[in-house]
Amino acid sequence: VQLQASGGGLVQAGGSLRLSCAASGRTFSRYYMGWFRQAPGKEGEFVASISSGGSTYYADSMKGRFTISRDNARNTVHLQMSSLKPEDTAVYYCAAKQSVYGDYDYRGQGTQVTVSS
């Protein structure tokens, strides 16, 4: 499966952004999808994930601010981000795997999110 993230940009602290990840392939609905981010000089960080059935999981620092969702009819997963902070600045990318277990098998190109103070 091929993944392409979009929707990043420059936003002021406290603002919102909605990221989208478009996936190719006919079996998108079966994939477990995740969002990750990587800030300059830092390791990649888990943000959120959603199962094929719609169950969601968030990193603690994103709970209450970020919402992950999926639209299987459009092969798309979204990340709605609100109350953004400068420390949310990073390249965000989506990933997919065929099982809730194990590592992610596919990763797409990222989209830059910059939050100004």
Side-chain angles (χ1 to χ4, degrees):
V1 62
Q2 293 184 325
L3 305 170
Q4 180 64 56
S6 62
L10 175 64
V11 63
Q12 289 187 335
S16 299
L17 276 177
R18 188 190 193 211
L19 305 183
S20 297
C21 174
S24 64
R26 300 179 180 179
T27 59
F28 169 79
S29 62
R30 302 178 187 175
Y31 282 88
Y32 195 92
M33 302 297 297
W35 283 97
F36 293 80
R37 69 185 186 184
Q38 187 163 17
K42 296 185 178 181
E43 293 187 357
E45 178 183 22
F46 169 79
V47 174
S49 63
I50 186 166
S51 70
S52 58
S55 297
T56 58
Y57 184 74
Y58 298 91
D60 287 345
S61 61
M62 286 67 161
K63 288 180 181 177
R65 300 191 301 124
F66 292 7
T67 302
I68 188 171
S69 61
R70 66 190 299 158
D71 183 343
N72 289 333
R74 291 178 171 80
N75 281 16
T76 304
V77 61
H78 301 287
L79 184 69
Q80 178 68 46
M81 307 185 294
S82 59
S83 302
L84 284 164
K85 307 173 183 179
E87 51 264 43
D88 293 319
T89 295
V91 174
Y92 286 70
Y93 57 94
C94 56
K97 57 181 178 177
Q98 298 188 27
S99 170
V100 65
Y101 305 107
D103 295 331
Y104 282 82
D105 303 302
Y106 308 96
R107 168 182 160 172
Q109 296 287 337
T111 185
Q112 175 71 46
V113 172
T114 303
V115 184
S116 63
S117 58

